[in-house]
Amino acid sequence: MFQNKWQKSSFSSSSDNCVEVRTANGLVELRESDDGDLILRTAPGRFATFLQGIKAGEFDHHGDLAS
């Protein structure tokens, strides 16, 4: 089983509360560093589509606590 090391965003501070990502066995894995046992796995193409949606603002309304 091939796994890369977990990486966190360069925008994260030095604290351990961040989202981490790695590749393993042809999949992209995501986890929160403070809950490392819960891992989300997805195909690279789906992850790329998700990142494009984030960059395009498709999910911005989820952060709007006023609505």
Side-chain angles (χ1 to χ4, degrees), residues 33-53:
S33 58
D34 61 345
D35 190 8
D37 293 333
L38 180 62
I39 298 172
L40 173 73
R41 292 176 181 90
T42 189
R46 289 181 182 253
F47 184 63
T49 300
F50 175 66
L51 290 178
Q52 289 169 354

Side-chain angles (χ1 to χ4, degrees), residues 6-30:
W6 290 105
Q7 296 179 333
K8 67 178 185 174
S9 169
S10 59
F11 292 101
S12 296
S13 63
S14 60
S15 73
D16 289 333
N17 297 327
C18 59
V19 174
E20 298 175 315
V21 65
R22 73 177 179 187
T23 57
N25 300 322
L27 296 174
V28 177
E29 297 185 334
L30 298 162

Side-chain angles (χ1 to χ4, degrees), residues 51-67:
L51 290 178
Q52 289 169 354
I54 290 171
K55 291 178 182 179
E58 291 180 28
F59 308 106
D60 290 353
H61 65 283
H62 291 287
D64 184 9
L65 301 177
S67 49

